[in-house]
């Protein structure tokens, strides 16, 4: 099966304050080729030129880090999907996880895995997603790295992880300083054998599977989330599973009740860094957004009008009663 080696789709699962925002910001800054500069420009454009851009540059729910390998190889887009850090009532966790091929479990080196991450980790293990453990804030004077790793193994056992899942790679990080290592640092220190997040990027590229697809399959794109924009109206967030989705193309919208309506893709958007930009085409494995389909719902499929095949509706558990 061919794979999109230029894409990795991953979710970061973390308890609030364990450093997810700091880590993603550092990834954006270090991704290469003036990434930090571009991002700054984007943010300025958001506030100043929103009118001119007609709302097309809006804050995305996912972050796209365009990583430029140090060996000069082709850039790789790492899509980072936000999942809520705890149980929720709307299936947002399942929907986020349905877009990715692996998860990073980000754990504070002092606090260890906390109950609110347990719910999301359980979902990830049930979805058979590979996990990468990232121990963050190794610099904290009260860090207790070995104990936190043992607590994480206990959590995996408790959640009935299988043998493959429990053999997760471990990366040690000080996201605040933008440094990561595969070698365990002393408690209370920043990883010393590295000066960047390079070891974290390499681990992602190695352990997050590149999206696979069938070359001959007709278009299938899955609606995984919704958004709204003043100018564009309802926006559907999609993962393209097979085929290509093009701006201006007419596609079959397969609704929840099984009925099919042909609709035109009036606006196609893809995320760059933190914002959505107009795009011409999205291929298999890409995460994109389309505007202009008024009543589109989560779980529905956009497909080839000649050969419309629905993807499975995303199943959602009964609402969780307790977060612990
Ligand atoms: P989020 O809620 O998971 O997005 O967490 P943030 O990225 O907002 O970080 C929470 C706090 O932890 C902030 O005050 C960060 O500056 C701090 N922080 C993040 N990474 C590190 C780290 O590696 N070491 C230390 N000491 N603090 C960190």
């Amino acid at each position: 099966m061919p794979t999109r080696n230029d894409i990795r789709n991953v979710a970061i699962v973390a308890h609030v304050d364990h450093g997810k925002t700091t880590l993603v910001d550092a990834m954006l800054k270090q991704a290469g080729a003036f990434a930090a500069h571009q991002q700054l420009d984007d943010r300025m454009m958001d506030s100043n030129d929103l009118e001119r851009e007609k709302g097309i540059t809006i804050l995305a729910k996912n972050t796209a880090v365009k990583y430029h390998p140090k060996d000069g190889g082709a850039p790789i887009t790492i899509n980072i999907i936000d999942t809520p850090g705890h149980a929720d009532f709307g299936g947002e966790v399942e929907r986020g996880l349905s877009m990715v091929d692996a998860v990073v479990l980000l754990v504070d080196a002092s606090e260890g895995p906390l109950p609110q991450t347990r719910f999301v980790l359980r979902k990830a293990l049930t979805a058979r997603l590979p996990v990468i453990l990232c121990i963050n804030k190794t610099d904290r004077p009260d860090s207790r790295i070995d104990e936190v790793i043992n607590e994480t193994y206990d959590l995996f056992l408790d959640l009935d992880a299988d043998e493959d899942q429990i053999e997760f790679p471990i990366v040690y990080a000080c996201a605040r300083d933008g440094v990561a290592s595969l070698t365990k640092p002393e408690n209370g220190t920043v990883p010393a054998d590295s000066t960047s997040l390079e070891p974290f990027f390499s681990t992602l590229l190695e352990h997050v599977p590149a999206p696979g697809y069938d070359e001959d399959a007709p278009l299938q794109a899955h609606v995984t989330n919704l958004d709204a924009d003043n100018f564009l109206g309802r926006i559907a967030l999609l993962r393209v599973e097979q085929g290509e989705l093009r701006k201006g193309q007419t596609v079959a919208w397969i609704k929840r009740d099984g009925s099919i309506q042909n609709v035109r893709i009036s606006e196609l958007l893809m995320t760059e860094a933190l914002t959505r930009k107009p795009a011409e085409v999205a291929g298999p494995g890409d995460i994109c957004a389309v505007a202009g389909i008024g009543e589109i719902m989560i779980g529905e499929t956009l497909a080839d009008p000649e050969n419309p095949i629905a993807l499975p509706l995303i199943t959602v558990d009964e609402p969780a009663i307790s977060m612990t």
Side-chain angles (χ1 to χ4, degrees):
M1 194 194 249
T3 52
R4 283 291 302 274
N5 294 323
D6 59 331
I7 303 178
R8 298 293 188 281
N9 295 325
V10 70
I12 301 184
V13 175
H15 186 80
V16 63
D17 272 353
H18 282 198
K20 184 155 86 174
T21 312
T22 310
L23 179 66
V24 173
D25 275 355
M27 289 173 76
L28 282 167
K29 284 192 190 114
Q30 291 185 27
F34 308 108
H37 184 65
Q38 277 168 14
Q39 192 201 337
L40 242 171
D41 283 354
D42 286 348
R43 280 189 173 152
M44 281 159 59
M45 194 161 75
D46 268 346
S47 49
N48 298 336
D49 299 341
L50 201 61
E51 203 60 72
R52 185 171 66 78
E53 288 287 311
K54 290 218 168 14
I56 284 172
T57 309
I58 53 174
L59 212 58
K61 282 190 173 165
N62 59 314
T63 306
V65 175
K66 197 160 201 169
Y67 171 70
H68 293 77
K70 290 289 167 278
D71 64 9
I76 295 156
T77 299
I78 304 171
N79 288 305
I80 302 168
I81 306 297
D82 238 347
T83 58
H86 54 76
D88 85 317
F89 294 82
E92 181 124 11
V93 172
E94 283 89 345
R95 299 198 311 258
L97 293 179
S98 75
M99 277 191 273
V100 302
D101 302 300
V103 303
V104 171
L105 178 63
L106 183 71
V107 177
D108 181 303
S110 166
E111 294 192 354
L114 289 174
Q116 283 88 333
T117 49
R118 184 188 165 98
F119 175 86
V120 185
L121 182 61
R122 183 202 299 272
K123 298 283 177 202
L125 293 174
T126 306
R128 308 219 35 82
L129 294 169
V131 178
I132 296 162
L133 176 63
C134 180
I135 304 285
N136 189 33
K137 308 196 193 184
T138 60
D139 59 290
R140 275 182 68 153
D142 56 350
S143 67
R144 43 184 197 94
I145 298 170
D146 280 320
E147 277 170 53
V148 164
I149 291 171
N150 283 335
E151 288 167 15
T152 308
Y153 281 120
D154 287 346
L155 178 61
F156 272 63
L157 289 172
D158 206 33
L159 294 174
D160 295 323
D162 62 33
E163 276 176 36
D164 287 349
Q165 289 174 313
I166 217 156
E167 280 177 22
F168 47 78
I170 306 178
V171 186
Y172 305 90
C174 175
R176 187 199 60 191
D177 293 4
V179 175
S181 171
L182 301 179
T183 313
K184 188 176 70 182
E186 296 290 326
N187 284 325
T189 67
V190 174
D193 61 332
S194 161
T195 53
S196 69
L197 290 176
E198 225 21 63
F200 181 62
F201 280 118
S202 323
T203 305
L204 287 182
L205 299 193
E206 188 182 339
H207 290 275
V208 181
Y213 63 99
D214 174 353
E215 265 171 311
D216 304 320
L219 167 69
Q220 285 184 302
H222 214 185
V223 181
T224 49
N225 215 336
L226 297 176
D227 207 346
D229 175 77
N230 284 345
F231 294 97
L232 298 173
R234 179 172 290 198
I235 292 178
L237 195 65
L238 298 117
R239 172 165 162 151
V240 180
E241 298 293 347
Q242 310 288 352
E244 281 182 347
L245 197 57
R246 287 183 176 277
K247 183 180 171 170
Q249 178 190 15
T250 297
V251 299
W253 165 27
I254 311 177
K255 303 182 194 180
R256 288 192 92 93
D257 63 6
S259 65
I260 297 179
Q261 183 181 335
N262 282 358
V263 288
R264 190 171 166 275
I265 303 299
S266 63
E267 203 66 67
L268 178 69
L269 306 160
M270 282 169 80
T271 303
E272 284 174 27
L274 296 162
T275 53
R276 289 196 189 122
K277 301 282 176 64
E280 290 300 318
V281 58
D286 273 325
I287 288 168
C288 64
V290 300
I293 309 176
E295 301 298 317
I296 196 163
M297 303 280 285
I298 285 168
E300 295 181 335
T301 302
L302 296 183
D304 181 349
E306 304 292 311
N307 193 1
I309 305 164
L311 289 159
L313 288 169
I314 301 165
T315 52
V316 172
D317 282 1
E318 289 301 302
I321 293 155
S322 157
M323 295 204 338
T324 52

